[in-house]
Amino acid sequence: MKEYQVVLIDKKQQNLDEIGEHISWEKANCLTDFCSPWKTDSFSKIEFRALWDLQNLYFNFSVFDTDIYTDLKDDSFDSVCNSDRVELFFRKDEKLSPYYCLEMDTAERIMDFEAYPDWNFDFDWNWPKTDLKIKFSKDEASFTLQGKISIASLKALDLIHNNTIETGVYRAKFSKNSDSKYEPTWISWVNPETETPNFHIASSFGRFILRE
């Protein structure tokens, strides 16, 4: 399995607004080896970084793309599902029973759900809102979505074992096709080796190692 080393930082952050202002992201390892195995088209560069401080896991997606599509017809999960977004999945083990999904778009909407094998999703389940916060920003060259997840909530869901979190890191990019309809390009840190796009499979996960 691929591994990503999550560097420990000393400073404890108290709220989401402090993430961009005070966290030194240059201390984090930069993950860039994303792939889109089901399309030959190129895609915009993605940089992912994560840090932790014993209280929280901090994450930062930087996507070098300014052509963002967001479906704003309502705030339903369907609307989020039809929008450009980044995603983090967490699992207890390769049985995926259960695993937990966070799909986050550029309107700072979160589609969070508990999942089981064979696309069995419980959309009534939600990550505790006090334990998860995200923040979106953009400039002339890129957009950034960063956030924090409490270590307590990860432990409560039995997702940390021997300072390791089994994690999937993904992006969905929507672009107009020849019929002027938006269709997704599916991008993953780990190539799941499937014939068709599928993040909801054990082979799409890697390991986050929480360094001490």
Side-chain angles (χ1 to χ4, degrees), residues 41-141:
D41 300 344
S42 61
F43 57 87
S44 301
K45 182 181 179 181
I46 304 166
E47 294 181 348
F48 176 85
R49 294 173 174 84
L51 295 163
W52 75 300
D53 68 358
L54 302 181
Q55 276 68 47
N56 294 290
L57 172 71
Y58 303 94
F59 61 88
N60 184 315
F61 286 89
S62 294
V63 182
F64 292 82
D65 181 7
T66 58
D67 183 18
I68 303 168
Y69 176 68
T70 307
D71 181 347
L72 295 174
K73 66 178 181 291
D74 55 38
D75 284 330
S76 67
F77 278 3
D78 283 343
S79 183
V80 178
C81 200
N82 291 326
S83 300
D84 282 8
R85 62 190 185 277
V86 293
E87 306 178 1
L88 291 172
F89 292 2
F90 304 102
R91 72 183 195 187
K92 297 179 181 181
D93 53 46
E94 62 183 6
K95 294 178 182 179
L96 302 181
S97 189
Y99 61 106
Y100 301 91
C101 306
L102 300 175
E103 305 193 10
M104 302 160 285
D105 74 6
T106 59
E108 297 184 357
R109 299 177 300 183
I110 303 173
M111 182 166 67
D112 51 345
F113 54 97
E114 184 180 59
Y116 293 83
D118 300 320
W119 301 74
N120 180 4
F121 303 153
D122 179 3
F123 290 109
D124 290 328
W125 182 92
N126 297 112
W127 205 285
K129 297 306 180 188
T130 56
D131 294 303
L132 168 66
K133 295 186 182 300
I134 64 172
K135 181 180 180 180
F136 168 78
S137 62
K138 65 178 179 178
D139 58 27
E140 294 180 355

Side-chain angles (χ1 to χ4, degrees), residues 135-174:
K135 181 180 180 180
F136 168 78
S137 62
K138 65 178 179 178
D139 58 27
E140 294 180 355
S142 64
F143 73 83
T144 298
L145 194 145
Q146 56 189 208
K148 66 178 182 180
I149 304 170
S150 77
I151 295 298
S153 66
L154 291 165
K155 287 181 176 179
L157 295 170
D158 194 26
L159 295 172
I160 303 179
H161 302 122
N162 298 319
N163 270 28
T164 298
I165 309 172
E166 297 189 5
T167 309
V169 187
Y170 318 100
R171 183 190 177 210
K173 164 63 182 174
F174 280 77

